[in-house]
Amino acid sequence: MDMSSFLKAIPKVSLHLHLMGSIQAATVVDLAKKHGVSLPDFDEPEDLYDYPDIYKFLHMYDNSALAIVDRDDFRRIAYETLAEAAEHNVRYREMFFNPTTHMAAGVPYETAVDGLIDGIRDAESDHGIVCRLIAAVNRMETPELAMTMVDTLVEHPRAEVIGIGMDYAEGEFPPERFWKAYRLAKANGLRLTAHASEDAPPRNIETCLDLLGCERIDHGYHVIESEAIMQRCVDEEVVFTCTPVSTAWVYFGDDLANHPIKTMAARGIKLMLDCDDPPMFKTNPSKDFILAAEHMGFGPADFRRFMLNGIDGCWVDDSTKAAWRTSYAADFDALAAQLDA
Ligand code: ADE
Ligand code: ZN
């Protein structure tokens, strides 16, 4: 078996994937037609995922949300991304969605979340993949809106919604603005993660760990600029969810060989790999692995470790994690035995 087929076949958990970034362009255009919505800046699938910087890219998110209106739309987009993930042997995913983006587009929270849950259930029964949801704070919005988001989650509890995260552009919108929303989420039994130090100093990682109480760090690439923070994260075994392809284009000269993930792994950061916004960056759950192998020199032992790191980072109970460690490792090793020499 060649390396690419091997990396496609190995079992995977997925902890860093955004619903809005996972929709095929043709589906957005199809749903826009269904609802007679004209997307302000984009009409053709070819135009949709073409952008020069992160602000235009995030603008595309908000634009596409205008096409996702009813419960069945949410079912469809959740189902499609999970069915695709299952083809890459993703067995478990914790997926970000932005309730306030959809609420701003006029969609009640229950419509969005219950549609997503319909899609999650259908994908589990058709493809065996299990998915849970992380409601993400749009950090470019206000701390008050983040509180409203958490209040909404608490008013409409769903077993599938297990935590909160934080996404959108970090530079001018540091994490400390949202400590109250994180406190409220924790008090209500929700798990906590945040995008931190994707494009901002490593200090944001400590803010997320210490002030917000985050259990994982999404991205975290600038950790390599602080020996002290890096050592702390290694010692505390903080799980980092890293996405090579979606971050190379804008932050690291579009060159995966320069990506900090390589240094992070070498220094012992407990990281796992995922694909962030797959169709928007022309990637998929195995392509990020394949390109990381080709450009960063990772081999089977690295991918085995990343897989187990991901399981450690999952928000499931300890007995489930222990069972997954055993079964994933056995399946991984059986595939590794078939790798071409
Ligand atoms: N939303 C989707 N992908 C993102 C990223 N890489 N950074 C911030 N917000 C995002
Ligand atoms: Zn992300």
Side-chain angles (χ1 to χ4, degrees), residues 15-18 57 61 96 166-168 195 198 218-219 221 241 243 246-247 275-277:
L15 302 180
H16 191 148
L17 180 126
H18 302 260
F57 151 72
Y61 258 52
F96 296 114
M166 186 192 303
D167 56 7
Y168 281 73
H195 286 43
E198 177 184 12
D218 304 313
H219 299 302
Y221 309 122
T241 71
T243 67
S246 71
T247 49
C275 57
D276 213 10
D277 307 286

Side-chain angles (χ1 to χ4, degrees), residues 107-119:
V107 177
Y109 174 71
E110 304 94 296
T111 301
V113 77
D114 289 332
L116 295 177
I117 292 169
D118 292 341

Side-chain angles (χ1 to χ4, degrees), residues 21 35 37 40 54 62 76 110-111 139 151 153 156 160 164 166 209 214 219 240 244 284:
H35 295 292
V37 170
I54 189 157
D62 299 337
R76 173 174 170 183
E110 304 94 296
T111 301
R139 68 195 319 151
D151 281 335
L153 304 182
H156 305 281
E160 288 81 359
I164 69 164
M166 186 192 303
L209 296 175
C214 289
H219 299 302
F240 283 57
N284 63 47

